[in-house]
Amino acid sequence: MKMEQRSFIIKGNICYTKTMGCLDVADQAYLVCEAGVCQGVFPVLPSRFKGLPMIDYKEDLVIPGMVDLHVHAPQYPFRGLGMDLELMEWLQAHTFPEESRYADLAYAKDAYETFVRDLQKSVTTRAVVFGTVHTPATELLMGMLDACGLVTYVGKVNMDQNCPDSLQDGGVQEALAQTAAWLQATLGKYRHTYPVLTPRFAPACSGQMLEGLGKLQKEYGVPVQSHLSENLSEIALVTSLFPWASCYGDVYTHYGLFGGAAKTVMAHCVYSSDREVKQIKENGVYVAHCPQSNTNLSSGIAPIRKYLDRGVAVGLGTDIAGGATLSMLRCITDAVGVSKLYWRLVDQQDKPLSMEEAFYLATKGGGAFFGNVGSFEEGYELDALVLDDREISSTRQLSTKERLERYLYLAQEGGRLVAKYVAGAPVLL
Amino acid sequence: MKMEQRSFIIKGNICYTKTMGCLDVADQAYLVCEAGVCQGVFPVLPSRFKGLPMIDYKEDLVIPGMVDLHVHAPQYPFRGLGMDLELMEWLQAHTFPEESRYADLAYAKDAYETFVRDLQKSVTTRAVVFGTVHTPATELLMGMLDACGLVTYVGKVNMDQNCPDSLQDGGVQEALAQTAAWLQATLGKYRHTYPVLTPRFAPACSGQMLEGLGKLQKEYGVPVQSHLSENLSEIALVTSLFPWASCYGDVYTHYGLFGGAAKTVMAHCVYSSDREVKQIKENGVYVAHCPQSNTNLSSGIAPIRKYLDRGVAVGLGTDIAGGATLSMLRCITDAVGVSKLYWRLVDQQDKPLSMEEAFYLATKGGGAFFGNVGSFEEGYELDALVLDDREISSTRQLSTKERLERYLYLAQEGGRLVAKYVAGAPVLL
């Protein structure tokens, strides 16, 4: 059976997006996968593929898998709770106390099992994930994520200031040594889980820590994830801690943790200055836009249209537990919604994101961080979702595009994820 | 069996709010209902109630029913679709074509059955509902809503300009005669469905129409619902159509359709001027705040904190299909979310709504339009929801308040509405 070689054909109503803003729709078409790689979408099946097994999903929607560019696994236990604080207070009141618990591996196992099971059942196929400072708990999480079949980057967090002692990992040298050991232990260990360097954010890292992490980046060639310009108090703190920096992003740049050779994703960028945006663009840094989190923590609205106009690489993130839900569908509609409010309340030069544009960000936009991911073009790794919307009540005949739009807004009213493939391998739902 | 007399006791973990901002929590307490009327919440059951039947919902949450102050039943078929236009264009492109179809009673039956079934299964116990201009379809809707057990106000819409001919109901005199006949036919006809005068909004009504409706209001003493200051283009149109009016609300006031003796609810109030807010307050007009709709249609954010500070009566509305979902839980969290963005982006004098405050608006705030509704205080009509949150994955022991907050944000992740009571009568789910 060739399914085992990840070579097969999916038939259904196929929607994806090659170009920002344009939805490619092919009804009752054939999506061909060979060895996990997409061969394209065909209205009529080319004869060269006729030997492959075919799964006919009939009227179901078939779309690319969703990429969550920013999610904190250890914060999952308090998602949807404590939604009344801003970032810095919220970290002290809710986040740090919860993250401290992951020193206890039994607690970590229990909590991460819940997170991984829910992520597995979600529409997410790939994710860039924060762990905690704890190496054993982070390795546990990496193993679980690998076993569930998603492709993930996972970071052991580093921080050594402006956080509780219990989360400081025994001083800079000790923390850096542990981080090096963790990289050695996990690089190449898993099928599709990879380590990512994870300075929590500039306010929680000394220059010494950032310098050490920059060296590790060069030595091991691993990517980087962190937070950037999320909240006004946070930015003020960065300015006071790193007075020499021309902008928040400059702190990371200074230590070699901001794109260029170091593939980097920065969450939020709500208040990035022109200078910072220029660095983001020039260094090829990815922006993980987290609209629900930016709303829940009263941070503001990131000017995503401006970033897109300047050619910045943008994807979407749920940012659990700043965001309450793992649903990337909700993330798409939230991205559309806050962009409308930004247009209305802040800058009418920045037209709102369309559904198709936000869908692009959640698939091909964030997918680019993983390579050729997030589209059904030839040569892309085949991540796909099969969606059944029959239980979402309707009295209309809907086009496939309308069904997709409605699924994004109303999946919770009876939408069902029928199947999920990552690089051509089915994921157990 | 006294259940038939709507007299019984509910045991569970009870949450409600008497005062804006304060949540009253009573774990494993007794909620007593006699003849549909709440007798209070008791930690220990008073002996005088010991003869009543008791339903023990064990660890489930028990909260007041939700009141949807603004929902368009005929727009349900296109909820979650066409989310890329502003109000005036959206009305022409999506709303009016759909509403025209309700001239066909067979279509109306099909569409309204879906709407009513979904509303019945939702957390909403009472609603103020727009129909269309069509009297037969509106009466059909009223009968269906009455049969499903919710308490509703339902309006046959009036409009005679700035809309397609097919929705103008045969000229002003004919429309007013039909409206009078509709009031005569429906007043007192149903157990818990009531007619409400429904000028669509000022731009779609001539002075003659509004004058006639004002007379009908006086003659029949029925309440009024409409839209107010939702969108900037709409407001500009009102200014050009009614140049004598000091503000948009003044148009309704002039014709006796803005509070005072006419109990009135106005949806949106995103851009109400000081003068308008003063009229709203003085006339006791209810504001139906529709945060998701105001986001989806790029209208803006209503300054709800300002209204609350001035003592204006505020409730929440889903505004289907400006809002995509009937869920009042989502409406609560959206109200919190947009209030944070308003604080951050528009006016830092207006602190965000807390979860408890938005919960108040969805229950007792909107409930006041229906009388003593939306609380578990003595003398309130007993509308209650029983919620099971066990399937929402958690690794924590949560307090009842935390369980409520999490349910509001995450009901779609496995929350289950176990039972729903309206004025002490169970609703079939």
Side-chain angles (χ1 to χ4, degrees):
Chain A
M1 168 60 170
K2 282 202 172 175
M3 282 299 288
E4 285 160 27
Q5 280 79 52
R6 298 181 296 142
S7 298
F8 56 93
I9 300 159
I10 283 174
K11 190 177 177 198
N13 290 326
I14 298 169
C15 285
Y16 64 110
T17 171
K18 292 179 211 164
T19 311
M20 166 104 44
C22 294
L23 199 66
D24 286 75
V25 177
D27 286 338
Q28 295 303 300
Y30 303 86
L31 171 63
V32 179
C33 181
E34 283 191 329
V37 176
C38 186
Q39 306 302 308
V41 173
F42 306 94
V44 176
L45 188 67
S47 57
R48 68 184 184 279
F49 300 125
K50 290 219 164 127
L52 295 178
M54 183 164 81
I55 313 160
D56 187 348
Y57 286 110
K58 302 195 186 294
E59 292 300 325
D60 287 345
L61 296 169
V62 181
I63 66 172
M66 304 271 158
V67 179
D68 188 343
L69 275 191
H70 186 65
V71 54
H72 291 263
Q75 295 176 18
Y76 198 61
F78 67 96
R79 74 198 189 285
L81 297 174
M83 287 288 164
D84 53 351
L85 296 175
E86 280 195 87
L87 175 65
M88 302 307 284
E89 296 74 25
W90 177 82
L91 286 171
Q92 299 294 340
H94 298 290
T95 306
F96 293 150
E98 177 66 27
E99 292 195 7
S100 297
R101 303 182 69 173
Y102 291 77
D104 173 357
L105 211 54
Y107 181 81
K109 179 169 183 292
D110 187 30
Y112 281 151
E113 270 175 357
T114 302
F115 168 76
V116 172
R117 188 187 62 229
D118 287 0
L119 191 69
Q120 183 175 344
K121 292 191 294 186
S122 79
V123 296
T124 298
T125 47
R126 308 202 180 213
V128 187
V129 183
F130 267 62
T132 62
V133 297
H134 313 96
T135 307
T138 303
E139 290 193 30
L140 186 74
L141 173 62
M142 293 176 86
M144 286 180 187
L145 283 167
D146 198 54
C148 89
L150 306 197
V151 180
T152 52
Y153 287 99
V154 180
K156 170 204 153 8
V157 171
N158 288 101
M159 51 184 169
D160 67 338
Q161 60 185 31
N162 293 314
C163 64
D165 289 350
S166 62
L167 288 172
Q168 293 191 20
D169 224 6
V172 179
Q173 291 316 324
E174 171 63 20
L176 291 169
Q178 280 191 31
T179 304
W182 167 70
L183 289 175
Q184 285 156 18
T186 57
L187 268 169
K189 176 175 179 183
Y190 307 102
R191 281 175 308 162
H192 29 238
T193 304
Y194 310 98
V196 49
L197 278 176
T198 306
R200 176 163 215 118
F201 65 158
C205 296
S206 65
Q208 214 186 341
M209 176 68 90
L210 293 169
E211 190 179 351
L213 291 174
K215 284 184 187 155
L216 290 178
Q217 195 289 318
K218 277 196 191 60
E219 188 176 346
Y220 292 94
V222 287
V224 177
Q225 66 176 342
S226 195
H227 300 90
L228 182 66
S229 298
E230 174 178 3
N231 169 287
L232 295 173
S233 308
E234 170 211 19
I235 294 168
L237 184 55
V238 171
T239 305
S240 73
L241 290 168
F242 303 93
W244 50 263
S246 67
C247 61
Y248 189 161
D250 205 32
V251 177
Y252 299 122
T253 302
H254 180 79
Y255 295 109
L257 297 164
F258 204 63
K263 183 167 73 168
T264 298
V265 58
M266 287 283 155
H268 307 306
C269 303
V270 176
Y271 296 104
S272 292
S273 63
D274 275 353
R275 188 183 183 106
E276 188 163 282
V277 176
K278 195 158 172 283
Q279 287 188 14
I280 289 171
K281 166 67 180 149
E282 286 175 0
N283 297 357
V285 170
Y286 286 76
V287 171
H289 174 41
C290 305
Q292 188 178 118
S293 171
N294 298 156
T295 299
N296 286 336
L297 297 181
S298 302
S299 301
I301 302 175
I304 296 304
R305 173 66 64 197
K306 277 192 221 306
Y307 299 161
L308 296 175
D309 286 349
R310 296 195 198 176
V312 168
V314 180
L316 300 183
T318 60
D319 193 25
I320 294 289
T325 167
L326 277 176
S327 170
M328 285 296 296
L329 303 172
R330 173 70 187 267
C331 195
I332 291 172
T333 60
D334 283 339
V336 171
V338 301
S339 77
K340 290 172 175 172
L341 294 176
Y342 188 88
W343 169 80
R344 175 81 274 159
L345 300 174
V346 183
D347 190 342
Q348 294 197 31
Q349 299 302 308
D350 289 349
K351 72 176 167 115
L353 298 180
S354 66
M355 179 274 282
E356 294 89 336
E357 289 174 320
F359 181 74
Y360 178 97
L361 297 182
T363 54
K364 196 170 171 178
F369 192 80
F370 289 83
N372 282 333
V373 167
S375 176
F376 291 152
E377 291 158 74
E378 190 179 348
Y380 273 64
E381 295 187 63
L382 195 123
D383 293 3
L385 308 173
V386 181
L387 309 173
D388 172 3
D389 61 353
R390 280 170 297 181
E391 293 296 314
I392 305 175
S393 58
S394 183
T395 51
R396 281 197 178 184
Q397 278 297 100
L398 300 174
S399 70
T400 298
K401 178 187 158 176
E402 287 175 319
R403 287 174 58 199
L404 174 65
E405 182 177 15
R406 202 182 58 153
Y407 201 94
L408 300 177
Y409 281 93
L410 298 175
Q412 69 283 1
E413 296 190 5
R416 193 168 70 87
L417 179 60
V418 173
K420 168 160 140 177
Y421 298 86
V422 178
V427 173
L428 203 64
L429 295 178
Chain B
M1 168 60 167
K2 282 204 173 174
M3 282 299 287
E4 285 159 25
Q5 280 78 51
R6 298 182 294 145
S7 297
F8 57 92
I9 299 158
I10 284 174
K11 189 177 178 200
N13 291 326
I14 298 169
C15 284
Y16 64 109
T17 169
K18 293 179 210 164
T19 310
M20 166 106 41
C22 294
L23 199 67
D24 286 74
V25 176
D27 286 339
Q28 294 302 301
Y30 302 86
L31 172 63
V32 179
C33 181
E34 283 191 328
V37 176
C38 186
Q39 306 303 310
V41 173
F42 305 94
V44 176
L45 189 67
S47 57
R48 67 184 185 279
F49 300 124
K50 291 220 162 128
L52 295 177
M54 183 165 80
I55 313 161
D56 187 348
Y57 286 110
K58 302 194 185 295
E59 292 300 325
D60 288 344
L61 296 170
V62 181
I63 66 172
M66 304 270 159
V67 179
D68 188 344
L69 275 191
H70 186 65
V71 54
H72 291 265
Q75 296 176 17
Y76 199 60
F78 67 95
R79 75 199 187 285
L81 297 174
M83 287 287 164
D84 52 353
L85 296 174
E86 277 194 90
L87 175 65
M88 302 308 284
E89 297 74 25
W90 178 82
L91 286 171
Q92 300 293 341
H94 297 290
T95 307
F96 293 150
E98 177 65 26
E99 292 196 7
S100 297
R101 304 183 69 173
Y102 290 77
D104 174 358
L105 211 54
Y107 181 81
K109 180 170 182 291
D110 187 30
Y112 282 151
E113 270 175 359
T114 302
F115 169 75
V116 172
R117 188 187 62 231
D118 286 1
L119 190 68
Q120 183 175 343
K121 291 191 294 186
S122 79
V123 295
T124 298
T125 47
R126 309 205 180 210
V128 186
V129 184
F130 267 61
T132 62
V133 297
H134 313 95
T135 307
T138 303
E139 290 192 29
L140 186 75
L141 173 62
M142 294 174 86
M144 286 179 186
L145 283 168
D146 199 53
C148 89
L150 306 198
V151 180
T152 53
Y153 287 100
V154 180
K156 170 204 152 12
V157 171
N158 289 101
M159 52 183 167
D160 66 337
Q161 61 185 27
N162 293 315
C163 64
D165 289 350
S166 63
L167 287 173
Q168 293 190 19
D169 223 5
V172 180
Q173 291 315 323
E174 171 63 20
L176 290 169
Q178 279 190 32
T179 304
W182 167 69
L183 289 175
Q184 286 155 20
T186 57
L187 268 168
K189 178 176 179 182
Y190 306 103
R191 282 176 304 162
H192 30 238
T193 305
Y194 310 97
V196 49
L197 278 176
T198 306
R200 178 164 215 118
F201 65 158
C205 295
S206 64
Q208 216 186 338
M209 176 68 90
L210 292 170
E211 190 179 351
L213 292 174
K215 283 183 187 157
L216 290 178
Q217 194 289 318
K218 277 196 192 58
E219 190 176 344
Y220 293 94
V222 286
V224 177
Q225 67 176 341
S226 195
H227 300 89
L228 183 65
S229 299
E230 174 178 3
N231 169 287
L232 295 172
S233 307
E234 170 211 20
I235 294 168
L237 183 55
V238 171
T239 305
S240 74
L241 291 168
F242 303 92
W244 49 263
S246 67
C247 62
Y248 187 162
D250 204 32
V251 177
Y252 298 122
T253 302
H254 180 81
Y255 295 108
L257 297 163
F258 205 63
K263 183 168 73 170
T264 299
V265 57
M266 288 283 158
H268 306 307
C269 304
V270 176
Y271 296 103
S272 293
S273 62
D274 275 352
R275 188 182 181 106
E276 189 163 281
V277 176
K278 195 157 171 283
Q279 287 186 16
I280 288 170
K281 165 65 181 152
E282 286 176 0
N283 297 355
V285 170
Y286 286 77
V287 172
H289 174 42
C290 305
Q292 187 177 119
S293 171
N294 297 156
T295 299
N296 286 336
L297 298 180
S298 303
S299 301
I301 302 175
I304 296 303
R305 173 66 65 197
K306 276 192 220 310
Y307 299 161
L308 296 175
D309 286 348
R310 297 193 199 177
V312 168
V314 179
L316 301 182
T318 60
D319 192 26
I320 294 289
T325 168
L326 277 175
S327 170
M328 286 295 296
L329 303 172
R330 172 70 188 267
C331 196
I332 291 172
T333 59
D334 283 339
V336 171
V338 301
S339 76
K340 291 172 176 172
L341 294 176
Y342 189 87
W343 168 81
R344 175 81 273 160
L345 300 173
V346 183
D347 190 343
Q348 293 196 32
Q349 299 303 308
D350 290 350
K351 73 177 166 110
L353 298 180
S354 66
M355 179 274 281
E356 294 89 337
E357 288 174 319
F359 182 73
Y360 178 97
L361 297 181
T363 54
K364 196 171 171 179
F369 192 79
F370 289 83
N372 282 334
V373 167
S375 176
F376 291 151
E377 291 157 75
E378 189 180 349
Y380 273 65
E381 295 187 63
L382 194 126
D383 293 4
L385 308 173
V386 181
L387 308 173
D388 173 3
D389 62 353
R390 279 170 298 181
E391 293 296 314
I392 305 175
S393 59
S394 184
T395 50
R396 279 198 181 185
Q397 278 298 100
L398 300 174
S399 71
T400 298
K401 179 187 157 176
E402 288 175 319
R403 288 174 58 199
L404 174 65
E405 182 178 15
R406 201 182 60 153
Y407 201 94
L408 300 176
Y409 281 93
L410 298 175
Q412 69 283 359
E413 296 190 6
R416 192 168 70 87
L417 179 61
V418 173
K420 167 161 142 177
Y421 297 86
V422 179
V427 172
L428 203 65
L429 295 178

